[in-house]
Amino acid sequence: MKDQTTRAAIGIDLGGTAIKAGLVCRDGAVPARQGIATEAGGGVDHVLGRIAGLIGAMRRHAADLGVELEAVGVGMPGTLSHRAGVVFAPPNLPGWRNVPVVERLRAATGMNVVMENDANCAALGEFVCGAGRGVRNLVLLTLGTGIGGGIILDGRLWRGSNENAGEIGHQIVQLDGRPCNCGQRGCLEAYASASQTAARAVEAIRSGQASVLRALVDGGRPLTSEDVVQASQAGDELARRVWEETCRYLAVSCLNIQHGWAPDCIVLAGGMSGAGELLRRPILEAMDKLASKLLGPLPDVRLARLGNDAGFIGAALGVLLEPG
Ligand SMILES: [Zn+2]
């Protein structure tokens, strides 16, 4: 029997601006890590070459540390086929269409490579060594420019029959609502992502409503969800209303999640989760008001713990937990 802690995988988190890589052990420990710029403008071949270079660097670290390397896990945004190893059209990598990432990286490195959606990776990371440690069922939401999601059921990642289950951001929470980038209307993402929270505040200000944020908007500085939270804390009525609405939409989605999968906990991750208790508490309060309470206790809503490392840690854990 091998010592489980010496088995490791290389995790890669491919983002639009940065590629993060780490050597990750089965318990989530990260003995080596490295980050480089994506240089997405260089195109598919250039970026895949940079990833292959990072994999080479991680292999050298593994050899130096005497760590037994299993495989490479790559986390990517957007819809993809885990089985085929093909990413369809990642939103933050312009020009990438139906790229056979797994085949290309296998050819370049000679290693076994597995690809996974980045929110699924974050869910796996938080499940094994973050906010979800010790639970059996978990749903994670990444709250950033968009809203991603990942579902862990009975300790395993749930991909569904279309391999893209967990797209909680595109749950419709408002009939005939705001248009979403995905083509639907009324998606959670169209209301409660960081960027759409800021956009709703800007729209309200442009329609003539009073707010301390007007000076920023008139000055041409792009508003952020942090601006909305800060103004809300400072007593700005418009910001308070917009933020409360964001939290209420998220609460609706958390209840939908409970009705669908009844997880032990729902983990809030991504940039907007930096608001901490200012995000978590109003969501819990709104859930409490909206819920029927017939289905037992509400899922625990928790803040993610792994921060920006969750992507590459989860990508590696995916291959360690589900080899082959
Ligand atoms: Zn959508």
Side-chain angles (χ1 to χ4, degrees), residues 14-18 37-47 50 92-96:
L14 173 56
T17 54
T38 306
E39 299 182 359
V44 174
D45 292 350
H46 180 70
V47 174
R50 290 178 73 68
N92 56 357
L93 293 168
W96 287 50

Side-chain angles (χ1 to χ4, degrees), residues 114-206:
V114 174
M115 186 170 63
E116 191 62 73
N117 169 270
D118 57 357
N120 285 356
C121 292
L124 272 170
E126 294 290 343
F127 172 70
V128 173
C129 53
R133 210 172 184 160
V135 306
R136 291 289 295 164
N137 303 296
L138 167 156
V139 175
L140 173 134
L141 296 176
T142 59
L143 308 171
T145 312
I147 295 182
I151 301 169
I152 309 277
L153 295 180
D154 278 334
R156 291 181 68 97
L157 186 63
W158 179 255
R159 296 192 186 86
S161 51
N162 65 0
E163 294 190 82
N164 286 284
E167 287 289 350
I168 313 286
H170 303 290
Q171 270 187 350
I172 294 175
V173 292
Q174 185 75 59
L175 204 58
D176 302 323
R178 292 166 67 82
C180 180
N181 286 332
C182 73
Q184 293 181 163
R185 297 188 82 93
C187 294
L188 176 68
E189 178 172 303
Y191 291 87
S193 66
S195 55
Q196 290 303 307
T197 295
R200 285 190 295 106
V202 170
E203 286 164 23
I205 290 164
R206 291 217 170 110

Side-chain angles (χ1 to χ4, degrees), residues 48-248:
L48 289 177
R50 290 178 73 68
I51 296 174
L54 267 180
I55 292 171
M58 288 297 127
R59 286 175 94 168
R60 288 190 288 280
H61 283 302
D64 290 346
L65 294 165
V67 168
E68 189 185 338
L69 216 44
E70 299 265 317
V72 180
V74 180
M76 301 241 354
T79 50
L80 52 83
S81 169
H82 167 79
R83 271 197 299 271
V86 173
V87 66
F88 300 135
N92 56 357
L93 293 168
W96 287 50
R97 283 219 164 256
N98 302 327
V99 179
V101 172
V102 166
E103 189 188 302
R104 296 281 308 269
L105 288 177
R106 275 181 186 160
T109 65
M111 287 194 74
N112 183 25
V113 180
V114 174
M115 186 170 63
E116 191 62 73
N117 169 270
D118 57 357
N120 285 356
C121 292
L124 272 170
E126 294 290 343
F127 172 70
V128 173
C129 53
R133 210 172 184 160
V135 306
R136 291 289 295 164
N137 303 296
L138 167 156
V139 175
L140 173 134
L141 296 176
T142 59
L143 308 171
T145 312
I147 295 182
I151 301 169
I152 309 277
L153 295 180
D154 278 334
R156 291 181 68 97
L157 186 63
W158 179 255
R159 296 192 186 86
S161 51
N162 65 0
E163 294 190 82
N164 286 284
E167 287 289 350
I168 313 286
H170 303 290
Q171 270 187 350
I172 294 175
V173 292
Q174 185 75 59
L175 204 58
D176 302 323
R178 292 166 67 82
C180 180
N181 286 332
C182 73
Q184 293 181 163
R185 297 188 82 93
C187 294
L188 176 68
E189 178 172 303
Y191 291 87
S193 66
S195 55
Q196 290 303 307
T197 295
R200 285 190 295 106
V202 170
E203 286 164 23
I205 290 164
R206 291 217 170 110
S207 76
Q209 296 177 44
S211 170
V212 295
L213 296 170
R214 172 171 294 282
L216 291 179
V217 173
D218 288 347
R221 149 113 126 66
L223 216 59
T224 65
S225 62
E226 285 92 344
D227 294 327
V228 176
V229 175
Q230 272 173 24
S232 166
Q233 282 300 102
D236 185 75
E237 179 53 27
L238 179 143
R240 190 199 59 73
R241 207 171 57 240
V242 167
W243 185 245
E244 186 191 277
E245 216 169 82
T246 288
C247 294
R248 290 185 72 207

